[in-house]
Amino acid sequence: GRVVQEYQVSQSEILPLDSKFWQRQASSNTNNRGVFRLASGKLFSEPKTVLWLQIKGALFSLICEEKVNILLAKNQLELVAKAIVEHFGSETVFSAKSVNERPEELYMLLDRMIPNGHLQFLTEKDAKREIAREFKAYS
């Protein structure tokens, strides 16, 4: 069996950010998103900024250093999430099993779009070109 270790984060470890960057949308036609900070504690020795995005029932998150460029991280998270949804299909993204059966493809997407964990500026056109190139080489 697999060993799964879960961590619980107390409310005091979550620090709210200024909401001028992202407003949570109440409409069901839009993607829900948000950003918050985790204080140093059990999970991390230094504070972190967490960005999250929900698309069609799937939740994507990006954990960054505290002083991250939030707009760059937001752009990167949206591009990665959209690429995953498009690659694995909007119906199959609900099933972790379908994504887990092809971990090398998920790894290639993440490695191409967030190389070595570093954020980079990409347009949607650039991201699609890079992903197509990577999967063409993989096939």
Side-chain angles (χ1 to χ4, degrees), residues 4-66:
V4 177
Q5 188 171 9
E6 292 185 20
Y7 292 94
Q8 292 185 352
V9 178
S10 68
Q11 191 67 23
S12 64
E13 292 179 274
I14 299 176
L15 308 173
L17 284 179
D18 187 351
S19 62
K20 69 180 178 181
F21 289 110
W22 286 7
Q23 295 290 329
R24 184 178 170 147
Q25 303 290 326
S27 170
S28 61
N29 295 333
T30 61
N31 299 328
N32 290 324
R33 61 190 65 181
V35 60
F36 60 92
R37 286 213 173 101
L38 286 175
S40 56
K42 295 175 189 173
L43 290 176
F44 304 104
S45 60
E46 297 179 12
K48 301 291 181 187
T49 299
V50 180
L51 297 94
W52 63 272
L53 172 65
Q54 181 183 6
I55 299 177
K56 298 183 180 182
L59 183 65
F60 301 89
S61 62
L62 187 61
I63 301 172
C64 305
E65 297 300 324
E66 182 181 24

Side-chain angles (χ1 to χ4, degrees), residues 75-116:
N75 180 62
Q76 199 75 31
L77 178 60
E78 288 175 348
L79 288 174
V80 168
K82 189 172 183 179
I84 290 171
V85 169
E86 287 178 3
H87 180 72
F88 290 99
S90 59
E91 282 80 37
T92 60
V93 80
F94 296 106
S95 169
K97 182 181 178 187
S98 63
V99 177
N100 288 337
E101 288 174 346
R102 301 171 5 206
E104 63 283 346
E105 294 176 30
L106 181 61
Y107 176 76
M108 280 193 312
L109 273 169
L110 293 174
D111 187 54
R112 178 53 68 183
M113 298 186 77
I114 308 176
N116 298 315

